[in-house]
Each structure stands twice: as C-alpha cells, then as structure tokens.
Amino acid sequence: MKVGLEMLRVIKANQTIPRCMFAELVDDYGDSVYKFCRSLTYSKEDADDLFQETFLRVLEQLPKVDNSENPKGFLFSSALYIWKGWKRRYARRKRLAPTEPFDEAAAGGESMEEDFLVREEAHIVRELVESLPDKFKVPVILYYTVEMSVPDIALSMKIPPGTVKSRLFKARKLIEKGLKEHEE
C-alpha cells in the first residue's frame, strides 16, 4: 500500500510512470486483481483479457489519480467498470464454466460420496452467486473471493459502507433461499 501511494505522488509530480514502480504495482496487486477478474468472468480467457485491459487502463489513467487515492480500490474499480462495459456491449453473453474449481479441493471428504456432495453444493452456490443481480454479486465476490474489507469494497464501488453491508446481507439471504428451494 505504501508503494502504491508513493508511486502516485511521483506520477503526479512527473506526469510519467517509472517502469519499476508500475511493475511494483502489478506485483503488489496483480494476484488479487486477477482473482477478482476470474470471479467476475468465470472464464480464464476472459479473465486474462479483463486483467490486461485493467492494467492498460490504469497505466493510461494513473497521472489523473489524486494523491489520496487507494491504489487497490482504483484497480478493482477499474476492473469492475471495464467488465460492466463489456456486459453492456455484448448484451449479457453467456459465460464459460470455470475450467478449474476455486476452493473445492479444500473439502477433503473421506468417501467419494461425501466429496461429490460437497462439490455439488459448491457448484450450486456458485450458480446462485452467478445468478444474483450485479449489485449483489460484485460485493459478494469482493468480500468472499478477494477477501476485501467492507470499507475497501465501498471505496472501489463508490458507495457507502452501509450499502455494502446491506447488499451482502441481502445476497446471503437470496443464496440461502436458493439453497432451500434446491433441497426441496
């Protein structure tokens, strides 16, 4: 975080981006931004494109960023707005199924049946999250997948923290309702 603010000050003063500082920004936040992109798109290829376009856009817009700007929030916000633009442009195109499970390997059931049930439940939850409206889906992904705090989510989405908490609560209730309907 300290490196990000230092980079923003240098960029503001020089109006250029030192190569080493941009590389540090990618090193510091690249993994979490990629994980977020992967969660938004559910496709490795689309996530790669979104990740690349996010850092290209950030590279173009860094001289405009205020000194007090949160670099991580700026990156996530940029990725989110690019992704929303893609959705508008392609009119809700279908997403590809993920090619590898996210956290399903942590289940570690002793029998094949238990392992199957855990994987099936994770698949159902993933589908329920995917079917949520964007205003609920994005905070859920940021909170549970990227593990961002509520204030950081609020900064990156440019909404109050109370709204983030409310959307997380409503999203959890919608997912619980979907799980109950699926059990019946």
Side-chain angles (χ1 to χ4, degrees):
M1 182 87 162
K2 189 175 184 181
V3 171
L5 291 175
E6 179 184 322
M7 180 191 310
L8 293 175
R9 285 188 193 100
V10 169
I11 292 166
K12 186 94 169 155
N14 299 336
Q15 295 299 314
T16 60
I17 301 164
R19 225 178 238 190
C20 64
M21 293 185 98
F22 185 74
E24 288 175 8
L25 185 67
V26 174
D27 288 343
D28 289 346
Y29 304 113
D31 289 341
S32 56
V33 170
Y34 183 78
K35 193 174 185 181
F36 177 62
C37 293
R38 183 72 190 258
S39 298
L40 283 175
T41 62
Y42 293 99
S43 163
K44 183 181 182 331
E45 294 80 15
D46 289 342
D48 290 344
D49 291 344
L50 181 57
F51 178 81
Q52 187 175 32
E53 193 167 329
T54 298
F55 275 98
L56 286 174
R57 174 99 36 101
V58 167
L59 185 62
E60 293 170 354
Q61 294 183 359
L62 271 176
K64 300 176 189 173
V65 178
D66 188 34
N67 281 341
S68 64
E69 187 68 40
N70 175 6
K72 187 175 182 180
F74 183 70
L75 288 166
F76 282 106
S77 182
S78 297
L80 179 63
Y81 288 117
I82 291 168
W83 176 70
K84 283 183 177 182
W86 284 4
K87 279 186 64 178
R88 278 191 303 272
R89 234 181 335 244
Y90 296 117
R92 297 203 183 265
R93 65 185 171 136
K94 292 186 178 184
R95 291 179 200 92
L96 301 173
T99 57
E100 54 191 337
F102 293 120
D103 289 328
E104 295 173 6
E110 292 183 24
S111 73
M112 287 179 54
E113 183 178 328
E114 289 176 13
D115 191 40
F116 174 78
L117 291 174
V118 168
R119 287 178 187 258
E120 182 65 22
E121 185 175 25
H123 178 72
I124 292 167
V125 169
R126 189 180 316 115
E127 285 181 347
L128 289 170
V129 169
E130 195 174 334
S131 69
L132 289 173
D134 288 345
K135 73 179 193 175
F136 298 127
K137 178 174 31 177
V138 172
V140 166
I141 290 170
L142 289 172
Y143 189 77
Y144 291 104
T145 304
V146 182
E147 299 176 357
M148 285 180 71
S149 67
V150 170
D152 287 343
I153 295 170
L155 277 174
S156 66
M157 293 184 68
K158 298 177 183 162
I159 58 176
T163 303
V164 173
K165 291 177 186 176
S166 172
R167 289 180 182 179
L168 285 170
F169 177 79
K170 289 176 184 174
R172 281 190 293 266
K173 290 297 179 192
L174 289 170
I175 291 170
E176 286 175 12
K177 181 180 174 186
L179 284 172
K180 285 180 184 176
E181 289 175 0
H182 191 270
E183 289 175 0
E184 295 174 356

